[in-house]
Amino acid sequence: MEEGNERDVHLFSNQITALQYLRKENTEVNEVLYGGGARGGKSYLGCIWQISRRMSMAGSVGLIGREELTKLKDTTIITFFEVLKDMNALHFFHYNAQTLTAICANGSIIFFRELKYIPSDPEFDRFGSYAITDLFIDEAQQVSAKAISVLKGRFSVLRGKNPDGSQWHTIPKALYTCNPKRNWIYSDFILPYKNDTLRNDRKFIKSLPIDNPYTDKSYIENLLKADKVTVQRLYYGNFEYDDDPSALCDYDAISDIFTNDFVTGGDKRISADLAMKGRDKFIVGLWNGLEVNIKIDKPLSDGKGIESDLKNLMIEESVPRSKTIVDADGMGAYLESYLNGIKEFHGGALPFNKDYFNLKSECGFKLAEVINKRQIKIICNKEQKQRIIEEIGVLKQYDIDNDTSKKRIISKEEMKQLLQHSPDYLDMLIMGMYFDIKPVSRGIRRMSYKI
């Protein structure tokens, strides 16, 4: 808590550590990720930080956000009032339920805002006019990285004057609380933390149920009786596990694709996700049955270079053009005119199986099938491995609750929102499934006629 506003509240060591990093006097740390497990005191921490900041920094502006408005009202805002009561500070704030704002007696303000991704506002322009001092995102694993990025660009109220004449100044500060999820919080915080490469201006504080001395023992006992994924995520705070029911691939199966040494070879083929300079990545996989080797991985490519690389690989590996498939929704249509005979992959084309929404969805479900059955092996380097794991993690079913519609995977734009980059390796793997779902030609049939 900010100095001068101590109250009789019960905090435990992890929360105190986080608050030390979040103090305005700390000029080194901008962002703190806190959590990992259930009942780790996440929402309470965020609310006490926001309240103490507003009370000690007259005219400052905080924003408390969560993905869905309903959950923001039913959970975070309820906790906010619990904290105000514990701090004996209810009389300091006036809450307006219509505008979702809490105004402090000294003129500081807290906005409560829904941060849901809306297709009609992909750039989150609705937050463009805000001017804020700090930011608390509750259950940040549910919020788009784009929304976070836009809000971080709104830090501008960074100094002011208190009623007693004292001046205050702070650097931009953001607190994200979370449960495990393999998205931007994993790539931006958890993985660098594990590799000891986390930026100096970022901190991760893991907080689990057993770290909170106020967690009821019966809650922990009941949690340990849950399914394996729930226990790994909410008791151990294991970020390798994802609870999203729309995810098509089991995490353990995804991990195994790099060590499935029993996968034997078969017909050679090539699948390529194409990209021109400055746009995504140029990724080419060489398939030997269901063993795929990442042969080309380039961030910058021109049309001539792509043509040359693919042609040389087909010659070197004796792969016929009819067994080479490229993304035709981008520059693949251009490429086919130079490499006559290669297959063009149109993700929006009709599927072979009418149970699926389109060809890409059919291939995506097929990829998930061979991954979950441990029928595929991928050969790649360490950096590629981590990104492939992340990208397969966003292979999700669209509208999972609708059991009457055709099977469909989420769009590439949705995947980009989750990853904050293009799913280039995943696209290459999905295209590689084309040869496995395409009906096998039986050749020319002999016809007989009775005269």
Side-chain angles (χ1 to χ4, degrees):
M1 289 170 44
E2 299 292 334
E3 292 173 342
N5 287 285
E6 288 84 359
R7 295 291 188 275
D8 185 19
V9 294
H10 301 289
L11 300 175
F12 55 95
S13 60
N14 290 356
Q15 293 173 318
I16 294 171
T17 299
L19 289 172
Q20 290 298 319
Y21 288 126
L22 292 165
R23 287 164 56 91
K24 65 176 180 291
E25 289 78 12
N26 186 313
T27 58
E28 296 179 356
V29 178
N30 290 95
E31 299 174 274
V32 174
L33 178 69
Y34 180 92
R39 300 296 173 91
K42 300 185 292 293
S43 297
Y44 199 95
L45 166 68
C47 290
I48 204 169
W49 175 59
Q50 281 289 303
I51 292 167
S52 61
R53 294 270 280 186
R54 302 293 76 78
M55 293 174 67
S56 65
M57 299 161 61
S60 62
V61 181
L63 189 146
I64 298 178
R66 190 159 178 170
E67 187 203 21
E68 292 185 9
L69 182 60
T70 300
K71 291 181 179 178
L72 179 67
K73 291 179 176 179
D74 292 349
T75 59
T76 312
I77 293 179
I78 288 176
T79 301
F80 177 79
F81 282 101
E82 290 175 355
V83 175
L84 282 177
K85 184 177 179 181
D86 290 346
M87 294 178 67
N88 192 27
L90 280 167
H91 60 289
F92 278 96
F93 286 85
H94 170 71
Y95 176 70
N96 188 320
Q98 296 265 323
T99 61
L100 291 175
T101 57
I103 300 176
C104 186
N106 64 11
S108 60
I109 185 170
I110 296 176
F111 294 110
F112 297 89
R113 292 296 179 263
E114 179 183 63
L115 306 179
K116 181 182 291 185
Y117 170 74
I118 302 173
S120 60
D121 183 26
E123 299 300 317
F124 294 89
D125 292 330
R126 62 187 184 275
F127 301 128
S129 61
Y130 283 82
I132 62 176
T133 306
D134 43 56
L135 179 64
F136 163 41
I137 306 298
D138 204 8
E139 299 295 347
Q141 77 280 359
Q142 299 171 350
V143 177
S144 164
K146 182 67 176 181
I148 304 292
S149 178
V150 170
L151 288 171
K152 283 163 59 177
R154 307 314 304 163
F155 290 128
S156 57
V157 185
L158 301 177
R159 61 178 69 246
K161 187 176 182 179
N162 289 311
D164 62 3
S166 62
Q167 304 282 336
W168 62 264
H169 175 256
T170 182
I171 64 172
K173 295 275 185 177
L175 169 65
Y176 317 118
T177 60
C178 70
N179 286 329
K181 190 81 171 181
R182 294 186 59 83
N183 57 7
W184 66 270
I185 62 173
Y186 184 83
S187 57
D188 287 0
F189 284 86
I190 304 306
L191 188 60
Y193 174 80
K194 287 182 175 182
N195 295 334
D196 199 26
T197 59
L198 188 62
R199 283 170 23 188
N200 291 333
D201 63 336
R202 288 176 170 171
K203 297 295 178 182
F204 168 57
I205 301 170
K206 192 171 188 176
S207 189
L208 305 176
I210 57 174
D211 296 323
N212 186 348
Y214 309 108
T215 301
D216 193 284
K217 184 179 178 182
S218 61
Y219 171 81
I220 294 179
E221 291 173 349
N222 190 59
L223 176 60
L224 288 171
K225 295 175 184 177
D227 62 274
K228 180 183 75 171
V229 172
T230 299
V231 172
Q232 285 292 330
R233 294 182 64 253
L234 301 185
Y235 182 79
Y236 293 106
N238 192 337
F239 280 79
E240 312 303 330
Y241 287 81
D242 199 322
D243 70 334
D244 189 343
S246 66
L248 294 180
C249 299
D250 174 74
Y251 177 74
D252 289 336
I254 297 173
S255 301
D256 285 341
I257 61 179
F258 308 99
T259 55
N260 288 335
D261 298 329
F262 47 83
V263 173
T264 57
D267 291 340
K268 282 188 174 183
R269 56 189 190 265
I270 289 172
S271 61
D273 186 53
L274 311 180
M276 297 294 282
K277 285 186 177 181
R279 176 184 172 273
D280 305 336
K281 289 167 72 75
F282 173 35
I283 307 296
V284 181
L286 172 67
W287 298 74
N288 191 349
L290 286 177
E291 179 187 84
V292 56
N293 194 330
I294 309 298
K295 281 291 189 178
I296 299 175
D297 184 341
K298 293 184 176 182
L300 298 175
S301 303
D302 56 30
K304 189 65 178 176
I306 288 175
E307 176 192 346
S308 176
D309 286 341
L310 277 177
K311 187 174 182 179
N312 290 337
L313 184 61
M314 286 187 281
I315 294 172
E316 291 169 6
E317 298 295 339
S318 302
V319 179
R321 294 192 178 187
S322 63
K323 290 290 185 178
T324 298
I325 190 164
V326 300
D327 180 10
D329 292 331
M331 61 168 291
Y334 139 81
L335 192 62
E336 199 278 335
S337 63
Y338 289 88
L339 295 175
N340 188 261
I342 63 174
K343 299 291 185 184
E344 298 179 359
F345 185 85
H346 295 275
L350 291 174
F352 295 109
N353 185 330
K354 294 182 179 179
D355 290 338
Y356 296 93
F357 179 74
N358 55 24
L359 180 61
K360 187 171 184 178
S361 293
E362 185 176 2
C363 289
F365 273 84
K366 181 63 178 180
L367 176 63
E369 176 189 322
V370 298
I371 289 174
N372 290 330
K373 289 183 177 180
R374 274 71 169 184
Q375 295 174 337
I376 184 173
K377 178 183 178 181
I378 298 177
I379 301 171
C380 61
N381 62 38
K382 184 178 180 180
E383 290 73 23
Q384 292 167 337
K385 174 182 176 180
Q386 186 54 51
R387 183 152 164 171
I388 290 169
I389 290 174
E390 291 177 12
E391 292 186 11
I392 294 177
V394 300
L395 182 57
K396 300 175 185 287
Q397 182 171 350
Y398 174 83
D399 197 12
I400 189 172
D401 295 324
N402 190 339
D403 57 4
T404 61
S405 62
K406 295 184 177 183
K407 294 180 181 179
R408 179 180 179 182
I409 62 174
I410 63 173
S411 69
K412 187 169 183 175
E413 286 306 311
E414 290 177 88
M415 293 180 180
K416 285 182 177 180
Q417 282 290 329
L418 294 170
L419 294 167
Q420 285 304 290
H421 60 74
S422 180
D424 304 309
Y425 296 95
L426 178 59
D427 282 344
M428 179 275 295
L429 293 169
I430 287 175
M431 282 186 280
M433 293 294 99
Y434 172 85
F435 299 103
D436 291 273
I437 65 168
K438 184 177 183 293
V440 178
S441 173
R442 299 181 182 276
I444 300 174
R445 292 180 294 174
R446 179 179 295 176
M447 306 294 291
S448 60
Y449 300 90
K450 290 184 180 180
I451 300 176

